[in-house]
């Protein structure tokens, strides 16, 4: 996540790598490498199969036909080094095969919780003209394909900056639609209204100078540069003095496009401070 003075920020997740080492005399059973402990499902299955085989071999040794099982168990554990090695190996095996705890997710899937008096959000642009955009606020999906309220062009959710309630959400076709519909939507915004924007397919063909000027006044740094089939995600507000720290823009370019004819999808997340009634 991007950081900005005066806005909540998240640090990158910290991974915990495990390197469990066995004594050098671990000849009874082979050690499990740390790479297996962090391996995905298929390698875990291999470890499980090997464990079953080793368990069968160990059982055959302990309970074989030659000598009593008690004497063989006594022989195995009478050597402290063998006993410790076996115990460590079994402990490591249990550690590797137990389900890995999933990283806890907070509102809108954020990796960390937002401070008090802040709104958690995530905005995802559409992918090419296939996968629709998403706008989530305080763990509530405001716009998505599932809600059937997104469309080609610009997808915009207006939110009360004091209580975080959705005011209105609409999509505007910027390829074949009427730009005046968009202007009627964003011209009369009240002071402190939060504006969440996610592009889908083409966000800019029908944009005119007034549209770009209004988005710039809402805090956008890239509205004046938007072009055909660019990817754009943005969170701004009516009455901001500085440029918003929450904006991403990728140009449509044949040399860098991830999809044929479209750049990569963008994702933006973070925490926005709520406005107090006195500043409304």
């Amino acid at each position: 996540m991007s950081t900005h003075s005066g806005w909540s920020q998240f640090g990158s997740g910290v991974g915990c790598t495990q390197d469990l080492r066995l004594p050098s005399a671990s000849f009874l059973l082979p050690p499990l490498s740390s790479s297996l402990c962090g391996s995905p499902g298929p390698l875990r299955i291999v470890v499980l199969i090997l464990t079953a085989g080793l368990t069968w071999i160990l059982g055959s040794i302990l309970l074989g036909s030659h000598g009593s099982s008690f004497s063989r168990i006594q022989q195995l554990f009478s050597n402290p080094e063998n006993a410790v090695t076996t115990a460590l190996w079994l402990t490591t095996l249990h550690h590797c095969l137990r389900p890995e705890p999933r990283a806890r997710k907070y509102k809108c899937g954020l990796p960390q919780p937002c401070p008090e008096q802040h709104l958690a959000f995530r905005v995802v642009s559409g992918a090419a003209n296939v996968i629709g955009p998403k706008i989530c606020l305080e763990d509530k999906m405001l716009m998505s394909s599932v809600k059937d309220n997104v469309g080609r062009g610009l997808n915009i959710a207006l939110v009360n900056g004091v209580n975080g309630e959705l005011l209105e959400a609409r999509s505007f076709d910027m390829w074949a639609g009427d730009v005046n519909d968009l202007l009627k939507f964003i011209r009369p915004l009240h002071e402190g209204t939060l504006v969440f924007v996610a592009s889908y397919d083409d966000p800019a063909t029908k944009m005119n100078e007034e549209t770009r000027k209004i988005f710039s006044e809402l805090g956008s740094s890239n509205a004046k540069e938007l072009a055909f089939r660019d990817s754009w995600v943005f969170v701004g507000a009516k009455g901001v003095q500085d440029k918003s720290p929450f904006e991403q823009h990728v140009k449509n370019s044949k040399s860098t496009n991830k999809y044929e004819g479209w750049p990569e999808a963008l994702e933006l997340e973070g925490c926005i401070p709520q406005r107090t009634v006195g500043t409304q």
Side-chain angles (χ1 to χ4, degrees):
M1 290 185 186
S2 61
T3 62
H4 189 273
S5 177
W7 292 80
S8 176
Q9 64 187 50
F10 292 115
S12 58
V14 179
C16 179
T17 57
Q18 296 149 343
D19 187 11
L20 300 177
R21 301 180 183 276
L22 299 180
S24 58
S26 56
F27 56 88
L28 183 63
L29 294 173
L32 295 177
S33 69
S34 59
S35 61
L36 286 179
C37 289
S39 62
L43 283 181
R44 288 180 179 274
I45 294 174
V46 172
V47 173
L48 185 60
I49 294 174
L50 290 176
T51 301
L54 291 170
T55 302
W56 181 81
I57 294 173
L58 181 60
S60 299
I61 294 174
L62 296 178
L63 305 176
S65 58
H66 300 290
S68 66
S69 59
F70 176 78
S71 62
R72 290 187 177 275
I73 293 174
Q74 186 179 37
Q75 179 182 0
L76 175 65
F77 288 97
S78 62
N79 186 332
E81 190 175 67
N82 287 356
V84 170
T85 300
T86 303
L88 286 173
W89 192 89
L90 293 175
T91 300
T92 305
L93 176 66
H94 170 74
H95 175 83
C96 291
L97 294 182
R98 69 183 180 183
E100 291 185 2
R102 293 185 177 182
R104 183 176 177 182
K105 295 292 185 180
Y106 297 87
K107 291 179 180 179
C108 292
L110 269 61
Q112 296 184 26
C114 288
E116 292 186 7
Q117 303 301 314
H118 283 68
L119 303 172
F121 76 89
R122 168 170 281 153
V123 180
V124 183
S125 71
N129 62 346
V130 179
I131 302 175
K134 297 178 182 179
I135 298 178
C136 175
L137 181 70
E138 284 294 286
D139 232 18
K140 296 178 182 178
M141 196 62 68
L142 305 185
M143 302 188 74
S144 70
S145 296
V146 174
K147 293 182 69 70
D148 195 25
N149 63 348
V150 297
R152 177 176 65 180
L154 293 178
N155 296 268
I156 305 176
L158 304 181
V159 172
N160 185 314
V162 175
N163 55 27
E165 292 184 359
L166 176 65
L167 300 174
E168 193 172 359
R170 287 184 58 185
S171 62
F172 300 89
D173 189 340
M174 301 305 291
W175 167 254
D178 187 348
V179 71
N180 289 310
D181 293 336
L182 173 59
L183 288 171
K184 292 176 184 177
F185 189 70
I186 59 177
R187 275 175 183 155
L189 298 182
H190 295 291
E191 191 84 2
T193 299
L194 298 174
V195 182
F196 296 80
V197 184
S199 67
Y200 184 24
D201 188 4
D202 175 26
T205 296
K206 286 297 183 76
M207 268 198 178
N208 57 20
E209 287 303 314
E210 183 181 0
T211 306
R212 297 176 189 275
K213 181 174 182 288
I214 291 176
F215 280 120
S216 297
E217 291 172 349
L218 293 173
S220 173
S221 300
N222 303 119
K224 294 181 178 180
E225 305 170 6
L226 285 178
F228 174 67
R229 285 187 176 176
D230 287 359
S231 286
W232 184 43
V233 285
F234 166 64
V235 181
K238 178 69 173 180
V240 294
Q241 301 300 317
D242 302 317
K243 292 301 181 181
S244 171
F246 297 114
E247 183 174 25
Q248 291 185 25
H249 173 222
V250 175
K251 299 288 290 183
N252 169 24
S253 172
K254 290 183 179 180
S255 61
T256 59
N257 281 350
K258 181 174 182 179
Y259 312 105
E260 184 178 353
W262 290 271
E264 63 181 307
L266 296 175
E267 183 172 329
L268 191 65
E269 62 185 19
C271 301
I272 297 178
Q274 292 177 257
R275 290 175 60 90
T276 61
V277 178
T279 60
Q280 182 78 332

